[in-house]
Amino acid sequence: MTDEEDKGELNTSDFYFELPKEQIAQDPLPDRSASRLMVLHRDSGIIEHKKFTDLIQYLKPGDCLVRNNTKVIPARLFGTKEDTGAVIEFLLLNRRTEDVWETLVKPGKKARAGARVMFGDGLLSGEIVDVLEDGNRLVRFFYDGIFEEILDELGQMPLPPYITHKLQDKNRYQTVYARYDGSAAAPTAGLHFTEGMFGELEGKGVIVANVTLHVGLGTFRPVKVDDVTKHHMHSEHYFIEPGEAEKINRAKREGRRVICVGTTSCRTIESAADENGVVRADEADTDIFIYPGYRFKVMDQLITNFHLPESTLLMLVSALAGKDFILRAYEEAVREGYRFFSFGDAMLIV
């Protein structure tokens, strides 16, 4: 990062770049690991163009690779109002209690408190019990059996708004290591990895540490203020088990590198770290907002996808690599025909 970037005022428009619509990836590649990999060298300013499988060459024995093992739930439901038959879309955001969810409902004007909605010929029903300040609804669900099984049958994957194609295979919006249900969006940097790649990495002596952060739809929320520092970040729930925290802490103690798979893994360990960079085994909520000027306490390198213009995720990678370098790399990615966003290509910042 340059001194100018560290000192100067940051405007949202500073993180804008032009992207042709045809470079927004609409479908996953047939082979997860067939994506391209752009490698950014911060010390020299060199940019390399590689294949994702070349990532293995950049990792060393003893490196600690941190990945987010959250699992995306099929959180989009389409139902009908019990009294009028009007179609309503529900998007499950956050489980408040066993059967009560904070939910985004469209159209909202038809979703007043007390309204009841039927899903799947009555297999599932819901009642809106409260309207929250931000317009989201608290919904209590009624069903027989196991909620997760019913959701798996009736729900659709909540793909980001810029993906307009229908996903043919739900598993392609999950990482191969997804374990804990709870996300409304995938930690997309991890979508490139295969079980075979992890086998090769572990065979090379790379240590894999798992953390869990349930990704909310706020990750797609645009920054609507001019002054970046005035943006209010959404909150997300995370947990880190003691053995996984110790893998990361041992790597730091021994002078080995900590490399995050994706911005969600980065946000998790940076949130859980104390001022000395020691990661706590913890369960908590985080609304950490990382933008240029931030000093990373734990993460050394990052594997990530290409992010939306003026987004908080673009600001995070700019905090690591420097805004000018990131924007230069993005311009080169556009020229070179890289695929962008969730199903797009990857970047390694070393």
Side-chain angles (χ1 to χ4, degrees):
M1 184 193 314
T2 64
D3 289 340
E4 288 75 16
E5 285 182 48
D6 203 5
K7 293 173 185 169
E9 181 179 313
L10 286 173
N11 295 315
T12 300
S13 58
D14 294 336
F15 297 89
Y16 180 77
F17 65 92
E18 290 282 350
L19 178 67
K21 278 190 175 179
E22 58 269 19
Q23 284 182 247
I24 300 174
Q26 293 294 323
D27 303 288
L29 295 175
D31 174 6
R32 284 179 182 268
S33 62
S35 297
R36 298 170 71 184
L37 179 70
M38 176 182 276
V39 183
L40 272 58
H41 295 267
R42 287 175 287 167
D43 55 351
S44 64
I46 289 172
I47 297 173
E48 293 184 288
H49 303 286
K50 298 287 187 176
K51 303 190 297 290
F52 190 77
T53 48
D54 293 330
L55 173 71
I56 295 166
Q57 302 169 12
Y58 291 88
L59 299 187
K60 303 174 183 174
D63 282 345
C64 184
L65 190 68
V66 183
R67 64 188 188 184
N68 180 9
N69 62 5
T70 188
K71 192 172 187 179
V72 186
I73 60 173
R76 179 168 275 126
L77 289 162
F78 291 90
T80 54
K81 276 193 74 183
E82 200 172 61
D83 54 352
T84 66
V87 175
I88 296 190
E89 177 186 345
F90 279 36
L91 196 57
L92 308 184
L93 300 177
N94 182 26
R95 194 174 206 158
R96 294 292 190 89
T97 65
E98 183 65 23
D99 294 322
V100 175
W101 286 77
E102 182 181 346
T103 307
L104 180 66
V105 181
K106 297 180 186 177
K109 62 185 178 183
K110 295 182 179 177
R112 297 188 176 91
R116 290 185 65 94
V117 180
M118 307 294 287
F119 305 91
D121 297 325
L123 191 62
L124 179 69
S125 65
E127 180 182 354
I128 295 167
V129 295
D130 198 8
V131 179
L132 304 178
E133 278 186 24
D134 59 5
N136 292 342
R137 269 63 172 172
L138 287 186
V139 179
R140 183 179 302 280
F141 288 100
F142 303 90
Y143 53 91
D144 291 322
I146 299 171
F147 181 78
E148 286 78 10
E149 290 181 358
I150 294 169
L151 190 63
D152 198 48
E153 181 178 340
L154 300 180
Q156 297 179 15
M157 281 299 188
L159 294 178
Y162 48 76
I163 294 178
T164 58
H165 290 190
K166 184 174 174 60
L167 184 63
Q168 300 304 315
D169 178 3
K170 283 184 183 180
N171 288 326
R172 290 310 308 276
Y173 197 56
Q174 300 280 21
T175 62
V176 296
Y177 49 87
R179 183 173 178 189
Y180 296 109
D181 285 332
S183 276
T188 55
L191 295 178
H192 305 282
F193 285 90
T194 62
E195 295 285 9
M197 278 192 73
F198 281 117
E200 286 188 63
L201 288 167
E202 289 175 353
K204 190 174 183 177
V206 172
I207 308 300
V208 176
N210 293 293
V211 299
T212 308
L213 180 138
H214 293 315
V215 188
L217 284 184
T219 194
F220 303 116
R221 186 181 298 156
V223 179
K224 294 182 177 178
V225 292
D226 291 331
D227 181 352
V228 165
T229 63
K230 300 291 194 295
H231 175 68
H232 178 66
M233 196 71 172
H234 60 286
S235 179
E236 293 169 316
H237 193 69
Y238 74 86
F239 63 90
I240 305 175
E241 295 175 354
E244 306 304 308
E246 178 53 24
K247 289 178 186 176
I248 300 166
N249 291 331
R250 189 183 306 131
K252 295 302 284 186
R253 285 197 305 270
E254 296 176 0
R256 295 183 278 112
R257 302 182 303 180
V258 173
I259 301 160
C260 286
V261 179
T263 56
T264 62
S265 301
C266 165
R267 294 179 67 241
T268 303
I269 63 173
E270 292 293 321
S271 297
D274 64 19
E275 62 276 8
N276 298 313
V278 177
V279 175
R280 297 179 297 270
D282 198 8
E283 180 168 4
D285 294 319
T286 178
D287 59 0
I288 189 172
F289 181 19
I290 296 174
Y291 53 87
Y294 180 86
R295 295 290 182 250
F296 290 89
K297 296 176 286 188
V298 188
M299 184 179 74
D300 299 304
Q301 298 185 3
L302 177 67
I303 302 159
T304 187
N305 277 19
F306 290 88
H307 304 295
L308 278 72
E310 300 183 336
S311 65
T312 59
L313 302 181
L314 185 60
M315 294 168 190
L316 185 154
V317 297
S318 297
L320 181 63
K323 176 173 64 69
D324 293 343
F325 191 20
I326 284 291
L327 291 177
R328 176 163 68 86
Y330 271 54
E331 286 173 9
E332 188 161 327
V334 170
R335 283 198 308 273
E336 295 289 330
Y338 276 71
R339 301 164 75 248
F340 276 68
F341 307 158
S342 296
F343 288 140
D345 294 313
M347 172 184 283
L348 170 64
I349 302 174
V350 300

